[in-house]
Amino acid sequence: MLKNYSRFNLLMAAGLSLPIVSQAAQLEEIVVTATKRAAGLMDTPMSVTAFSGDEMRHNGIRDFQELSVSIPNLTVAEGRAGLTTVNIRGVQSGVDGSFESSVGIFIDGVNYPRTQSAFNPMFDVARAEVLKGPQAVLYGLNSTAGVLVLHSNSNNPGDEFEATVVGNYETEYDGYSTSAFVGGGLTDTLGARLAIRTFDDGDGYLKNVFTGDDTVSNDGTEGRISLVWQPTDTIMSTLKYAHADIDNEGGNTQQLGTGRGEDKLNWKLESDANGSQMAAVMNAAEGNSKVEGSKTINAVSWKTDFGIGESVLSALVGYNKMDWSYNFDLDSSALPVPPIFSTRSEDYEQSSIELQYTSPTGNTFEYILGAYYSEATTDILGSNALDLTLLGVPGIAEYGQLDYSVDTEVVSAYGNLTWHVSDTVRVTGGVRYTDESRDLTRDPNGLNCQWYAVDGANFIGPAPINVFCSKLSNYKDDKSSDNFMPELIVQWDMSDDTMLYAKGSTAVKSGGYAAAVSPPSPESMSYDDENAFGLEAGMKTSFADRAGRMSLAVFYTEFDDLQVNSFDEQTASAFITNAGQAHSQGVELDTTYAVTDFITLGTALAYLDAEYDQYDGSACPANISAEEKAIRCTGPGGTQDSAGQDLANAPKWSGNAYASWDYPFSSGLRLVGKLNVSFTDDYLTEVRNDPLFKQDGYTQIDAQIGLASSDDKWRVALIGRNLTEEAVQDGGTAFLGYNIVSINRPRTITLQAQYRFGD
């Protein structure tokens, strides 16, 4: 049932039943590169949402999670164990450390398969694009659900000098950030830009009721230097180097529905965090017991364009290295329950090169040809420690460790051809071939499971029960797959203002090996490729002398071997399976209208039906009655047939409505601001369809109000996010009798000031 419908219906009516106003207001054209060519948003034959960097900065949007609030059918969640999940149209990867995202992530053209390396805070952004549906031909593997694209700013040769400073102070938790961007043309052939940002989230938005401390707070420094060299009219080379150092304290998880603590979702963390007993165990094991993390990222993108006649040959070299460690309270419990503590560290290194040949536009036939190669190494060290003293086993605790390494190599070639059948009809066909191989080394030192004295002084001996110990010893394996992924698009310019399109596409998400500490067997650790076949038809139109625009998309995507991760309560083992079949289908509508030169209204509405069609052997929910379990679940491990059940994070209805204004109320001054109201229907956050992890429908209100100079040299604004402080599950799972949920960010109110130097 659609929640909060009546409120949103009024907003929709306000946005779609607008008075006819005599004025010359027009919406600015939005240029995107979703098709690997610069094109207008309304001429691009797919569902695309785009935001400019200025718009994101003015609205205080720090990352893709905050951006997703304004985009129906996009969810970005900070999950358990510090892992971020991205969901488009109900499809996502889980929180196992081995997963690459079902949503492709590209920063300055370079693919970032690991969300941990891509989802540091945004700064100095030129444009963000969200592409929905399978996108394999131009974007490659791991785009079965869609693609997120981020472009950073740079300065070209000959550009005028510019410099901007931005300061933010968050009043609820005493957080702050400062940014500075400076750039321009150094010579007639060289442009440069430097961007630096420091931030500290302040006190932390969760209260640990065991220690009394505030927790969940990030701080760090990041920077980017960009050089653009254009020695001739036919050569342009852009080199970007980015570095980030980010520290994290605390995790956003708590227990729910267990009879402990307040027993409801809130911003009080019902956690023992670093209780004295677990501190002794982890200090003995590896010298760290705090709930904290750190991340260092170094990234390079180097693109060179060579003009060959009217065509362009591009070479893009990418490099990405991430060192990430994260220690967390796995059970998220309040004493007196046996605490479980975990650590993870990941070293990820990836290098890639892509060659692309792009023909000129304006001919009967236009084409893009490309080749791609990448190699990557993922090394993960992990450990779980279970304190048994509260189970009546005095003075000892179990400690199990993971040593996991995967080398990945990808080779692919792709091409698409656009045929201008007539002045109004275009047909584009394309295909990508990909060959991928993975080599696994797991626990090379054999079974690593020990008993420790609680005081941390003595090693006792092998663990007899192996709750968290690896059940593998010096295990090695390899797998490879090759795939052809075709695509076909038909466009028809029905008029100067209206375009219709239909698209059929396929995509594949890579298989791999689970990175859980305790898989029950090699067979349960390995999982296969995920395959997607998508159909989409849509209309994009401008109206009221281009003061308004509307996009409508109808879509259906079928998934075979959908990758799903879960947990076996009886064997205390995490595993990944391939669900037989699933589908995601629905309708999306976006409308924007410039009422006057200074007021713009917009609405977005989405209906989604995303379900398993075939998934026998899914893990059984933990929080159902014995009677229901007897009917629903079978087998010693408690499995179920999930066919007909919803996918996680797939609300039936979602949408938003906004009003933005930029009003010149006196000479030299403008009143600026935006009000955004978004809503989401009920949805489940856990793959087993456990009713405890159902998130009720909710409405979120974000707003900003400020003053700016007429030449936009300075701006001061007050920015509020989640103003009514809606507590929302970002994810949930049942684990050894614990019901663990991740919670979203609470209300924040930020004072922002920015000043631009130069003309």
Side-chain angles (χ1 to χ4, degrees):
M1 179 179 178
L2 177 59
K3 300 291 184 180
N4 306 300
Y5 177 78
S6 58
R7 181 187 302 177
F8 188 78
N9 195 38
L10 294 173
L11 292 166
M12 287 291 295
L16 295 177
S17 301
L18 298 168
I20 298 175
V21 180
S22 176
Q23 40 76 41
Q26 284 193 343
L27 294 171
E28 293 184 6
E29 183 180 14
I30 300 175
V31 177
V32 297
T33 55
T35 60
K36 294 295 182 79
R37 295 179 185 268
L41 177 68
M42 304 304 287
D43 296 323
T44 301
M46 64 181 73
S47 178
V48 183
T49 305
F51 292 84
S52 72
D54 287 343
E55 182 181 4
M56 294 166 61
R57 184 173 72 250
H58 294 163
N59 289 284
I61 295 173
R62 300 173 296 174
D63 50 34
F64 271 114
Q65 183 184 32
E66 294 183 344
L67 188 67
S68 68
V69 173
S70 300
I71 306 176
N73 282 344
L74 171 65
T75 302
V76 180
E78 297 175 356
R80 190 166 56 93
L83 299 173
T84 300
T85 58
V86 188
N87 182 299
I88 290 182
R89 293 175 174 172
V91 177
Q92 66 183 49
S93 293
V95 294
D96 187 88
S98 69
F99 272 138
E100 295 175 348
S101 177
S102 298
V103 177
I105 303 168
F106 290 79
I107 301 176
D108 291 322
V110 177
N111 184 23
Y112 283 66
R114 312 285 290 173
T115 58
Q116 300 94 303
S117 64
F119 276 47
N120 44 305
M122 299 176 182
F123 77 112
D124 200 27
V125 173
R127 187 176 68 259
E129 301 176 18
V130 179
L131 289 57
K132 297 176 182 177
Q135 306 288 340
V137 170
L138 294 177
Y139 292 94
L141 289 170
N142 308 320
S143 61
T144 52
V147 171
L148 304 182
V149 179
L150 194 69
H151 301 277
S152 65
N153 281 311
S154 57
N155 285 96
N156 293 324
D159 282 355
E160 295 292 331
F161 168 82
E162 63 172 310
T164 301
V165 292
V166 182
N168 293 280
Y169 173 69
E170 201 288 304
T171 63
E172 299 282 296
Y173 302 97
D174 290 329
Y176 74 88
S177 68
T178 57
S179 305
F181 322 118
V182 58
L186 300 182
T187 69
D188 290 340
T189 61
L190 183 65
R193 186 178 184 90
L194 176 65
I196 298 175
R197 179 176 184 266
T198 63
F199 65 96
D200 189 326
D201 290 343
D203 296 334
Y205 62 79
L206 290 187
K207 172 69 71 174
N208 187 314
V209 297
F210 177 71
T211 65
D213 296 334
D214 295 318
T215 186
V216 187
S217 179
N218 300 315
D219 64 87
T221 302
E222 50 191 347
R224 183 188 300 111
I225 185 168
S226 304
L227 298 174
V228 180
W229 181 49
Q230 190 173 7
T232 71
D233 291 340
T234 59
I235 298 176
M236 176 174 283
S237 187
T238 302
L239 176 65
K240 297 189 177 187
Y241 167 69
H243 175 81
D245 280 313
I246 301 171
D247 292 323
N248 163 264
E249 182 176 349
N252 65 332
T253 57
Q254 61 187 243
Q255 285 207 24
L256 188 67
T258 56
R260 292 184 285 269
E262 294 196 19
D263 217 18
K264 64 181 180 181
L265 194 66
N266 55 46
W267 286 282
K268 290 185 178 180
L269 184 65
E270 300 165 13
S271 171
D272 55 84
N274 51 347
S276 59
Q277 294 171 329
M278 292 311 296
V281 174
M282 298 307 288
N283 283 331
E286 52 194 57
N288 199 342
S289 65
K290 293 182 68 177
V291 182
E292 64 182 7
S294 63
K295 182 191 298 183
T296 300
I297 297 173
N298 290 284
V300 176
S301 69
W302 180 23
K303 183 182 182 183
T304 303
D305 295 325
F306 302 91
I308 304 174
E310 294 184 351
S311 301
V312 177
L313 175 64
S314 301
L316 174 62
V317 176
Y319 176 78
N320 173 28
K321 188 177 190 309
M322 176 190 67
D323 298 312
W324 178 58
S325 63
Y326 191 74
N327 308 315
F328 57 100
D329 187 16
L330 185 59
D331 59 272
S332 302
S333 62
L335 291 178
V337 295
I340 308 168
F341 204 85
S342 291
T343 71
R344 292 290 186 276
S345 67
E346 178 177 335
D347 295 331
Y348 177 73
E349 187 169 11
Q350 179 202 32
S351 57
S352 64
I353 183 169
E354 182 173 11
L355 300 176
Q356 181 175 291
Y357 186 84
T358 306
S359 74
T361 59
N363 298 323
T364 302
F365 294 98
E366 302 167 358
Y367 57 89
I368 296 175
L369 301 174
Y372 176 81
Y373 174 81
S374 72
E375 56 182 16
T377 298
T378 305
D379 293 320
I380 299 176
L381 289 174
S383 60
N384 291 333
L386 171 64
D387 183 359
L388 302 178
T389 57
L390 296 173
L391 291 178
V393 183
I396 54 179
E398 182 193 27
Y399 174 76
Q401 193 170 33
L402 161 73
D403 191 337
Y404 171 102
S405 179
V406 171
D407 294 324
T408 304
E409 184 178 62
V410 178
V411 179
S412 69
Y414 62 93
N416 73 358
L417 174 68
T418 298
W419 175 27
H420 290 256
V421 181
S422 68
D423 290 341
T424 60
V425 177
R426 296 175 295 284
V427 178
T428 300
V431 65
R432 180 183 284 255
Y433 169 76
T434 298
D435 184 279
E436 181 186 55
S437 62
R438 292 176 183 255
D439 294 301
L440 168 73
T441 301
R442 173 70 190 256
D443 299 321
N445 299 318
L447 293 175
N448 188 349
C449 197
Q450 302 170 342
W451 289 103
Y452 280 92
V454 166
D455 63 8
N458 301 305
F459 165 68
I460 297 177
I465 58 175
N466 287 354
V467 173
F468 284 125
C469 300
S470 173
K471 299 170 178 64
L472 304 174
S473 177
N474 197 27
Y475 180 73
K476 295 185 178 182
D477 197 15
D478 62 81
K479 63 170 56 187
S480 62
S481 65
D482 59 284
N483 294 279
F484 282 95
M485 297 174 283
E487 178 180 275
L488 181 66
I489 304 172
V490 179
Q491 289 178 259
W492 175 38
D493 295 332
M494 190 170 68
S495 69
D496 290 341
D497 295 321
T498 302
M499 183 268 286
L500 304 179
Y501 70 91
K503 177 183 178 183
S505 55
T506 59
V508 174
K509 181 176 180 292
S510 303
Y513 301 94
V517 170
S518 53
S521 66
E523 292 76 18
S524 65
M525 183 176 62
S526 176
Y527 54 93
D528 297 328
D529 289 352
E530 171 183 297
N531 297 274
F533 169 67
L535 296 172
E536 182 174 301
M539 176 181 70
K540 297 187 177 185
T541 185
S542 299
F543 57 90
D545 292 329
R546 305 208 171 182
R549 56 176 171 247
M550 182 182 73
S551 298
L552 174 68
V554 180
F555 61 89
Y556 173 83
T557 306
E558 183 175 278
F559 297 88
D560 291 322
D561 297 322
L562 185 71
Q563 295 168 5
V564 182
N565 70 316
S566 193
F567 188 80
D568 188 328
E569 296 282 346
Q570 293 198 2
T571 63
S573 301
F575 61 94
I576 298 173
T577 58
N578 289 92
Q581 287 186 339
H583 73 263
S584 169
Q585 61 186 354
V587 182
E588 295 165 342
L589 174 67
D590 292 88
T591 303
T592 307
Y593 185 72
V595 182
T596 69
D597 286 335
F598 50 83
I599 297 177
T600 300
L601 302 180
T603 60
L605 182 65
Y607 171 76
L608 177 65
D609 170 32
E611 295 180 348
Y612 295 109
D613 297 317
Q614 186 183 74
Y615 188 17
D616 197 6
S618 167
C620 194
N623 295 284
I624 57 177
S625 66
E627 293 79 7
E628 186 177 356
K629 185 170 291 189
I631 298 172
R632 186 169 166 181
C633 305
T634 60
T639 61
Q640 63 174 327
D641 184 354
S642 292
Q645 295 182 0
D646 290 342
L647 300 184
N649 293 306
K652 293 293 184 186
W653 292 92
S654 59
N656 74 289
Y658 71 86
S660 63
W661 55 90
D662 190 334
Y663 177 65
F665 69 94
S666 72
S667 60
L669 286 179
R670 295 147 47 215
L671 179 68
V672 296
K674 184 175 183 179
L675 173 66
N676 185 80
V677 180
S678 59
F679 84 93
T680 299
D681 200 11
D682 300 345
Y683 59 93
L684 292 161
T685 65
E686 202 249 8
V687 297
R688 289 177 279 188
N689 279 264
D690 193 317
L692 183 68
F693 304 111
K694 176 184 176 182
Q695 172 60 52
D696 292 333
Y698 64 93
T699 298
Q700 179 170 324
I701 300 175
D702 303 318
Q704 65 126 322
I705 185 73
L707 291 175
S709 64
S710 58
D711 57 3
D712 215 27
K713 289 182 69 70
W714 61 265
R715 177 184 291 245
V716 177
L718 198 62
I719 303 167
R721 303 193 65 82
N722 194 9
L723 289 175
T724 57
E725 215 158 33
E726 294 287 338
V728 177
Q729 287 191 36
D730 270 350
T733 189
F735 174 77
L736 288 181
Y738 305 104
N739 296 311
I740 303 169
V741 295
S742 303
I743 187 172
N744 68 323
R745 300 168 186 171
R747 177 180 56 239
T748 58
I749 299 175
T750 301
L751 178 64
Q752 181 185 87
Q754 52 185 302
Y755 186 83
R756 179 175 57 86
F757 298 87
D759 296 331

